[in-house]
Amino acid sequence: MDFSIIIPAYNEKDYLFATIDAIQLATRKLVEESDVGVETIVVDNNSVDGTAEIARSKGVKVVDEGVQGISRARNTGASHANGEVLVFVDADVLIPQDLLAKINSVMSDAECVGGGADVEYRPERRSMRIYLGLWRVLGRLTDMVQGSTQFCRREVFDAVGGYDEKAWIGEDVDFYWALKKHARRKGGFARVIREPRVVPSTRRFDKWPLWKTLIWTNPLFIAMFRRWKSVWGGWYSDAVR
């Protein structure tokens, strides 16, 4: 059961090096413990800061995607992947050393179609720690799983149609719900790995004013504007670095 790890990246030179380092450590642990082949693919989504060069310097495969959008980048990475299991890791996320081995264990059950890893945010401000803690509770109550790290079988990815390229935010939650719906139809299940948790960057929460965070992460605001690219400059054209 070979793995393809797909990293969508747009101007991520300041974070990508550490992300790939963490993935390579987890890859070595996985390979030591099981007979699994692993490839890592960085999808360069119009970067102008040397993101692709950093990826190549780490010995990973680089694929270009000229159409902006994280869903598009993930789907492009999947189209170039050779693995039976696809693992999507955001370019500013650190995965624990034993996470890939845990995913391999979960996916060894043929009934598991895929799933995601829980997150551990570490913002600087206490107010943000409280707020993100409340969001984590809400996510568990509503069965939302973020795209910081998600995984699935290749045939299941194709069956659900990949990530929704018309959604500029929340596409990760949609994808997990699609996995669950597919699993119910097939008599299988999707799994959320609660431990170990991945550690995403908190750059937006550390640098944005509180009001901006409260608006842009408001579920109603997201539901109303998630398909309007112009609204999400903080994720795309004017992303925080």
Side-chain angles (χ1 to χ4, degrees):
M1 186 167 60
D2 291 343
F3 278 43
S4 292
I5 302 170
I6 298 163
I7 309 170
Y10 168 61
N11 288 344
E12 293 287 4
K13 70 177 181 65
D14 293 335
Y15 295 89
L16 186 60
F17 200 93
T19 295
I20 294 175
D21 268 353
I23 288 170
Q24 290 179 336
L25 284 173
T27 295
R28 283 197 287 272
K29 183 174 178 61
L30 172 63
V31 172
E32 287 171 1
E33 296 180 355
S34 56
D35 184 22
V36 176
V38 181
E39 66 173 354
T40 301
I41 301 171
V42 168
V43 183
D44 182 16
N45 200 195
N46 275 342
S47 300
V48 295
D49 67 345
T51 287
E53 288 72 18
I54 287 174
R56 291 190 181 98
S57 75
K58 299 294 291 181
V60 305
K61 181 178 179 180
V62 177
V63 173
D64 293 324
E65 173 50 65
V67 178
Q68 196 73 50
I70 193 168
S71 291
R72 177 79 175 221
R74 290 188 183 121
N75 291 343
T76 296
S79 72
H80 287 81
N82 298 304
E84 301 163 77
V85 175
L86 307 180
V87 182
F88 299 92
V89 180
D90 284 355
D92 62 347
V93 169
L94 301 179
I95 69 169
Q97 190 171 355
D98 53 348
L99 180 65
L100 295 182
K102 179 68 173 182
I103 292 174
N104 187 48
S105 175
V106 168
M107 297 299 283
S108 66
D109 186 334
E111 300 300 316
C112 183
V113 302
D118 203 351
V119 298
E120 181 181 351
Y121 284 111
R122 300 172 181 175
E124 296 173 357
R125 290 179 290 178
R126 184 170 180 270
S127 59
M128 282 295 97
R129 292 196 293 272
I130 294 171
Y131 179 67
L132 293 174
L134 293 173
W135 248 110
R136 187 162 179 264
V137 172
L138 176 63
R140 295 193 70 162
L141 291 175
T142 57
D143 205 20
M144 292 188 291
V145 176
Q146 297 178 27
S148 299
T149 301
Q150 293 182 322
F151 56 92
C152 67
R153 299 187 189 278
R154 176 55 194 256
E155 67 269 18
V156 174
F157 181 88
D158 293 336
V160 302
Y163 288 87
D164 182 359
E165 295 180 11
K166 294 181 180 179
W168 300 101
I169 194 169
E171 79 297 326
D172 46 358
V173 175
D174 290 344
F175 182 72
Y176 177 71
W177 286 345
L179 292 182
K180 289 200 66 175
K181 184 177 180 181
H182 179 84
R184 286 195 297 269
R185 290 200 306 266
K186 299 296 183 180
F189 63 92
R191 173 68 56 81
V192 179
I193 296 174
R194 296 299 178 188
E195 292 292 342
R197 288 183 277 174
V198 303
V199 182
S201 162
T202 57
R203 53 188 166 179
R204 293 186 184 91
F205 306 119
D206 292 335
K207 295 180 180 180
W208 278 352
L210 180 60
W211 67 264
K212 190 172 185 178
T213 300
L214 294 177
I215 290 175
W216 276 17
T217 60
N218 182 288
L220 181 60
F221 185 85
I222 292 171
M224 291 176 60
F225 297 108
R226 61 197 303 268
R227 297 184 183 275
W228 293 30
K229 182 180 179 180
S230 59
V231 174
W232 304 105
W235 269 259
Y236 294 99
S237 58
D238 303 312
V240 176
R241 302 299 177 203

